[in-house]
Amino acid sequence: MIEHLSINSLGVIEETVVELDPGLTVVTGETGAGKTMVVTALNLLLGARADAGAIRAGDGKASVEAGFILPPDHKSATAAVDAGAVLDEDADYRHLVVTRSITASGTGTRSRATAGGRGVPVALLGEIGEHAVAIHGQSDQLRLKSPTAQRLALDAYGGKTLSAALKNYRKTYDTLQSVSSELQELLNQAQERALEAENLQRSLEEIDDANIEDQEDTELQDQIKRLESAEEFRSAAHISTTALSGDDNDLDAPSAESLVELARQAIDQTPGELEELEGIRNRLATVGIELSDITAEISQFASSLTEDGPYALNQAQSRLAELNRLKKLYGPDLADVLTWAQEQRPRLDVLHGDTDRIEYLTEEEQHLTATLNEQGAELTALRQEYGVKLGAQVTEELHGLLMPTAQLSVAVDPLDAPGPHGFDSIALLLQPHPGSEPRPLGKGASGGELSRIMLALEVVLADTDPVPTFIFDEIDAGVGGEAAVQIGRRLARLATRVQVIVVTHLPQVAAYANKHLRVNKDPNVEAGFTTSDVSELVGEERISELARMLAGHASSSSAREHARELLEASHA
């Protein structure tokens, strides 16, 4: 609910702060006093477009402020907190203060908004207001004009039973949409996916057939270098072994091994044992052994040089060329080629599984369609059932509002195709009198009739509507007499469940208020402007205002007596 409203320099109102009742608050005043500025202020706080023309003459800025009391989990409170607003909290409620200021400038109108002390976009005020307040003005007699709003109203009226059926339907509908979308995609892309599978299969097979080993390309490069220099290696080995161990074809040719052995024997044959020669003898023996080992290693190396070198070289070069081709296609390194193959195998499995997947999705689509048809039929039956009840309740209210022959009905008609909210198009229809054709709301009814229809709907739907505050701006236009009394009664009944704020010119309505506010006009002829403020009326002040509304002036004794009767009747 709205706890208080502060207005500064808006229209003819210079400055005022009003406390609003949690039940029914009425706002009255003479024509031109500025009653509608209260609604204008609330509209600004709910994100309406700012107009510099609404700023009070002589001032450059107007501002409005409202304090909301909301349940802890209310959507408006959550939206404000998400935007950074700071809310005061107690055991049961959260308190949110919202402000809006408009400033006239040479380039147009500037607007600033805050929520919970934090500057916020004006659009956030609209989001807060959407869930906190419903405003009905003379130009917007019915908030339930659109088919969407009417469907939501009927579904809310159906309570948990209809809500559960709709939830099950939506779950099936969303799943069916997903399945159908995937199936259609597979069918539309069958040829492309088959070609992709064929190419991917060929690529993976050539990688598998290559039987790649880690670092194989590096080893092949070393092998090719070795094979390309095989003759040079063989010649060097022959020269080296001949120099070290001699030539088998020339036994007299000297060799390093024989010369070292000759030197060792010469030292070994010297007479006596000299310590200096003993060390030389041992070193020569070691050199001889080392030369023998080197010769053996060179011979082994020479033996490893295969005679089919050209063939082996050709094989190695061909293998390296194949590996380089794979690297060019699938990755800069062999490791990348293997990684690519590993990553693509699941994709190939998916593509190969298309046929099975299509069969599965086709069966699933058929099953879900059958389930959706059952759930849609159930939803339609429930809407028809609750539509009859809603129509009967609203009709009863209309009869109480002096529309004794009016009938409201709910048409539940099939859509061309199932939608996310069911198979149904919902329409609220009014039959003004027997024999007339039921017509959509808002067509063929007078302003006074529209006011009563809207009020009847609001009274019936109040228990299911999440909006905690209703504001009515002279919705009783074109109504009088007993019909006005009945409107006042129903507004009072509505106010037992939600907060109701009414701008009215009818004393029959004002008499039912828990709080009566009057907009007071103070024209300054010399200065050329009018100033208004808002005050609460109690006791005789309220009697005087009701008398003014009844007879045009507050001093009429008969009007004051009638005003007392209205108050007594409303209290009764």
Side-chain angles (χ1 to χ4, degrees):
M1 59 166 280
I2 302 174
E3 188 176 23
H4 73 268
L5 176 66
S6 171
I7 304 174
N8 289 277
S9 299
L10 187 67
V12 295
I13 297 178
E14 182 177 12
E15 181 177 3
T16 191
V17 177
V18 296
E19 302 292 329
L20 301 174
D21 194 87
L24 174 59
T25 298
V26 299
V27 180
T28 64
E30 295 180 3
T31 301
K35 298 188 296 298
T36 58
M37 283 299 104
V38 174
V39 178
T40 300
L42 289 167
N43 271 315
L44 285 172
L45 288 168
L46 302 178
R49 182 170 181 168
D51 180 7
I55 301 175
R56 186 172 180 268
D59 292 332
K61 177 181 178 181
S63 63
V64 291
E65 175 185 295
F68 290 86
I69 301 177
L70 302 166
D73 58 348
H74 195 273
K75 292 180 180 179
S76 295
T78 302
V81 171
D82 290 344
V86 178
L87 278 65
D88 294 331
E89 300 188 26
D90 54 33
D92 300 313
Y93 296 101
R94 305 174 91 173
H95 300 262
L96 170 65
V97 176
V98 175
T99 71
R100 177 86 179 274
S101 63
I102 55 176
T103 305
S105 65
T107 57
T109 304
R110 290 183 297 170
S111 176
R112 183 174 182 272
T114 70
R118 177 67 61 87
V120 297
V122 173
L124 178 68
L125 299 187
E127 185 177 350
I128 292 172
E130 178 184 358
H131 304 292
V133 180
I135 295 182
H136 305 286
Q138 296 179 59
S139 61
D140 184 24
Q141 291 282 14
L142 288 171
R143 73 185 179 98
L144 298 174
K145 288 179 178 179
S146 71
T148 298
Q150 294 177 14
R151 173 181 52 77
L152 291 173
L154 176 60
D155 289 349
Y157 179 80
K160 293 182 179 180
T161 302
L162 208 155
S163 176
L166 179 58
K167 183 179 180 180
N168 291 335
Y169 174 90
R170 278 299 301 270
K171 183 178 180 180
T172 303
Y173 179 85
D174 291 342
T175 304
L176 176 59
Q177 292 297 108
S178 177
V179 168
S180 297
S181 177
E182 183 182 355
L183 177 59
Q184 194 60 45
E185 180 182 0
L186 288 177
L187 293 174
N188 291 341
Q189 300 179 0
Q191 184 174 356
E192 291 86 346
R193 291 169 71 90
L195 181 60
E196 181 186 354
E198 181 180 348
N199 292 334
L200 189 54
Q201 177 74 40
R202 187 183 302 112
S203 297
L204 292 174
E205 285 179 354
E206 73 173 352
I207 292 174
D208 291 340
D209 292 344
N211 196 21
I212 300 172
E213 297 180 4
D214 189 35
Q215 301 296 322
E216 184 180 0
D217 53 344
T218 301
E219 295 174 359
L220 282 171
Q221 290 169 354
D222 293 340
Q223 181 183 359
I224 289 171
K225 289 180 181 178
R226 180 188 183 95
L227 290 171
E228 287 176 340
S229 303
E231 289 304 319
E232 289 84 348
F233 289 150
R234 190 176 289 107
S235 174
H238 175 71
I239 294 172
S240 299
T241 53
T242 299
L244 291 173
S245 62
D247 189 350
D248 292 340
N249 297 321
D250 185 2
L251 298 178
D252 295 330
S255 66
E257 290 182 12
S258 63
L259 292 175
V260 169
E261 178 60 21
L262 179 61
R264 187 193 67 77
Q265 290 177 1
I267 294 298
D268 192 48
Q269 291 174 1
T270 57
E273 293 185 4
L274 295 177
E275 185 176 345
E276 297 88 333
L277 294 178
E278 183 64 24
I280 292 172
R281 183 187 302 111
N282 291 339
R283 289 173 63 190
L284 287 171
T286 299
V287 169
I289 295 172
E290 183 69 17
L291 289 174
S292 179
D293 288 344
I294 291 173
T295 301
E297 289 183 15
I298 293 175
S299 297
Q300 185 178 2
F301 168 72
S303 299
S304 70
L305 298 174
T306 176
E307 294 298 329
D308 58 352
Y311 175 77
L313 177 61
N314 182 62
Q315 289 294 100
Q317 289 173 333
S318 297
R319 175 63 173 175
L320 182 61
E322 173 64 12
L323 296 180
N324 286 336
R325 186 184 69 83
L326 294 176
K327 289 194 295 183
K328 185 176 181 180
L329 290 173
Y330 308 112
D333 300 315
L334 285 182
D336 297 317
V337 175
L338 296 173
T339 299
W340 182 89
Q342 183 178 5
E343 291 175 347
Q344 294 301 313
R345 291 187 199 281
R347 174 62 178 170
L348 183 61
D349 292 339
V350 170
L351 295 173
H352 279 163
D354 276 0
T355 301
D356 294 339
R357 184 65 178 168
I358 288 174
E359 291 179 359
Y360 166 77
L361 290 174
T362 301
E363 294 177 0
E364 186 69 6
E365 184 181 49
Q366 294 171 351
H367 168 70
L368 289 170
T369 299
T371 302
L372 191 73
N373 287 333
E374 293 176 3
Q375 294 173 338
E378 178 188 2
L379 190 58
T380 297
L382 287 172
R383 282 173 170 161
Q384 291 171 339
E385 175 187 348
Y386 283 102
V388 171
K389 294 180 181 179
L390 175 61
Q393 279 193 262
V394 175
T395 296
E396 183 179 353
E397 290 293 328
L398 291 176
H399 293 173
L401 288 168
L402 302 187
M403 295 178 67
T405 61
Q407 298 282 335
L408 186 119
S409 60
V410 181
V412 181
D413 297 320
L415 292 169
D416 293 335
H421 307 292
F423 296 172
D424 316 310
S425 171
I426 309 298
L428 301 183
L429 305 177
L430 177 69
Q431 185 182 25
H433 50 79
S436 61
E437 190 72 20
R439 302 189 65 187
L441 294 183
K443 293 185 178 181
S446 67
E449 288 174 331
L450 282 175
S451 299
R452 284 176 278 177
I453 295 166
M454 180 274 299
L455 183 57
L457 280 166
E458 296 294 16
V459 170
V460 172
L461 295 173
D463 289 333
T464 61
D465 198 314
V467 178
T469 298
F470 287 87
I471 300 171
F472 300 94
D473 183 13
E474 297 192 4
I475 56 105
D476 46 19
V479 177
E482 180 61 23
V485 174
Q486 295 300 330
I487 287 179
R489 285 181 179 175
R490 276 153 181 80
L491 286 170
R493 279 176 51 194
L494 181 62
T496 62
R497 285 167 283 183
V498 296
Q499 182 185 42
V500 179
I501 302 169
V502 181
V503 177
T504 183
H505 67 282
L506 292 179
Q508 297 94 329
V509 172
Y512 281 91
N514 302 108
K515 176 173 284 193
H516 190 151
L517 302 176
R518 171 184 164 88
V519 179
N520 307 297
K521 181 171 63 172
D522 181 17
N524 188 328
V525 178
E526 293 182 0
F529 60 83
T530 298
T531 299
S532 296
D533 62 7
V534 182
S535 60
E536 180 181 357
L537 303 180
V538 294
E540 288 300 315
E541 292 178 332
R542 189 172 183 189
I543 296 294
S544 296
E545 175 65 4
L546 291 177
R548 182 197 65 77
M549 297 171 73
L550 284 164
H553 53 87
S555 59
S556 169
S557 58
S558 60
R560 295 180 71 86
E561 184 62 28
H562 190 185
R564 286 188 174 88
E565 291 176 0
L566 282 178
L567 284 175
E568 291 173 0
S570 65
H571 292 162

